[in-house]
Amino acid sequence: VEGGVAQFFCQVDGNPRPKVNEQTGNRPASPRSVQVAWLKNNQPLMAGPRFNTYFDQPSRTAVLRISDVSKDDQGYYTCIVDNPLNSD
């Protein structure tokens, strides 16, 4: 619904259980931690005041929240989880 809020969820798990750092700009995460990034139509999601990303540690869920949704927000959203060994 235009003007509303859209939320996307991505559960992160692994064996051994990963430490998760959300990717923020160019700030590198620890070499042993996992990074979470969001894509829109296979392109990095551009930061903006309507886009909020966070990681809920207890549920190990990455969340993308888009406020004031408009038709321009239509697209294919992807959560990328990357660790030092591989990515999904």
Side-chain angles (χ1 to χ4, degrees):
V1 176
E2 275 196 70
V5 173
Q7 290 191 105
F8 301 88
F9 303 92
C10 176
Q11 273 201 298
V12 177
D13 207 355
N15 188 8
R17 208 161 185 161
K19 289 182 183 178
V20 176
N21 286 333
E22 212 169 331
Q23 184 177 0
T24 54
N26 293 326
R27 192 176 86 201
S30 158
R32 293 191 297 178
S33 65
V34 171
Q35 292 184 356
V36 177
W38 289 92
L39 307 178
K40 178 184 174 190
N41 297 327
N42 294 320
Q43 299 296 318
L45 187 63
M46 301 306 288
R50 298 184 313 109
F51 299 95
N52 181 24
T53 61
Y54 62 93
F55 188 77
D56 181 65
Q57 195 69 36
S59 68
R60 305 197 61 75
T61 303
V63 180
L64 167 61
R65 180 181 168 94
I66 305 171
S67 59
D68 195 22
V69 173
S70 72
K71 288 183 182 181
D72 291 338
D73 296 318
Q74 290 181 358
Y76 183 74
Y77 289 83
T78 308
C79 172
I80 301 293
V81 180
D82 187 35
N83 69 29
L85 302 175
N86 205 349
S87 63
D88 284 331

